[in-house]
């Protein structure tokens, strides 16, 4: 079920890479995104000031300007409170607060792509929800045998969920 939420402004420390989205020919998200998270985690948790933290992992994605159909940039990062002086090979992405349509995936990570495809195929049919330009999110609240991931798409403020 699609819900509406207000996502807060966030600062993310991570890395980005381009991929082809799950609903397009040549989709390669799992081959790009999984290894990207591995590299980000290795660099992020190697920082002494962050090694004992349990930050929220957030994937942020947006279309590649001038890229092939379905090509997007994926930013894998961890939420931070303060921006370090030395990024140590990582990139900073700052997200603005905004209204989002969202769905929560609960289950194995292997079935996350099916949840993503289902969400994005239903979203255009929701008459009360109007998408806006912006950054889509994957908010990893729990990762393991049973994972909990919020998939969120930016929407206009006047949008609302159906009753």
């Amino acid at each position: 079920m699609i819900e509406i939420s207000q996502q807060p402004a966030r600062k993310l420390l991570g890395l980005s890479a381009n991929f082809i989205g799950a609903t397009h020919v040549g989709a390669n998200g799992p081959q790009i995104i999984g290894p990207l998270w591995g590299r980000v985690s290795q660099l992020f948790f190697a920082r002494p000031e962050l090694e004992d933290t349990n930050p929220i992992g957030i994937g942020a994605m947006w279309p590649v300007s001038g890229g092939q159909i379905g090509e997007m940039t994926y930013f894998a990062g961890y939420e931070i409170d303060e921006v370090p002086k030395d990024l140590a090979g990582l990139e900073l992405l700052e997200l603005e607060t905004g209204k989002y349509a969202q769905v929560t995936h609960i289950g194995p990570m292997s079935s996350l792509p099916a949840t993503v495809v289902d969400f994005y195929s239903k979203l255009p049919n929701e008459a009360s929800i109007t998408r806006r330009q912006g950054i889509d999110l994957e908010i990893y609240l729990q990762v393991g045998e049973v994972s909990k991931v919020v998939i969120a798409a930016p929407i206009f403020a006047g949008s609302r969920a159906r009753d």
Side-chain angles (χ1 to χ4, degrees):
M1 175 181 200
I2 295 177
E3 300 174 328
I4 304 297
S5 72
Q6 182 74 19
Q7 292 292 329
R10 292 183 158 106
K11 295 177 196 137
L12 306 178
L13 201 54
L15 295 172
S16 61
N18 290 354
F19 75 105
I20 305 298
T23 60
H24 298 281
V25 174
N28 64 354
Q31 294 84 8
I32 302 295
I33 295 170
L36 181 63
W37 273 109
R39 286 193 307 277
V40 167
S41 296
Q42 204 170 33
L43 289 170
F44 186 89
F45 292 110
R47 301 176 68 100
E49 73 274 23
L50 300 172
E51 64 187 13
D52 292 329
T53 64
N54 189 22
I56 293 176
I58 298 178
M61 65 215 86
W62 55 91
V64 171
S65 178
Q68 69 185 62
I69 294 173
E71 187 175 9
M72 300 183 77
T73 298
Y74 187 94
F75 185 93
Y78 290 101
E79 189 170 9
I80 56 171
D81 293 325
E82 298 293 323
V83 178
K85 291 181 196 241
D86 178 12
L87 298 182
L90 294 168
E91 303 164 22
L92 176 67
L93 177 65
E94 295 188 67
L95 302 173
E96 296 179 1
T97 188
K99 197 167 187 179
Y100 284 78
Q102 69 181 45
V103 67
T104 302
H105 167 83
I106 298 176
M109 288 301 288
S110 61
S111 65
L112 180 62
T115 301
V116 170
V117 169
D118 184 61
F119 173 66
Y120 285 108
S121 66
K122 288 180 179 172
L123 192 57
N125 300 321
E126 291 290 329
S128 60
I129 297 174
T130 306
R131 271 197 73 134
R132 64 176 167 82
Q133 292 293 319
I135 296 175
D136 290 55
L137 304 174
E138 294 177 347
I139 305 167
Y140 295 88
L141 301 174
Q142 176 182 327
V143 178
E145 192 173 312
V146 175
S147 297
K148 184 175 182 181
V149 182
V150 173
I151 310 300
I155 59 174
F156 284 105
S159 299
R160 56 184 165 70
R162 284 193 198 161
D163 299 326

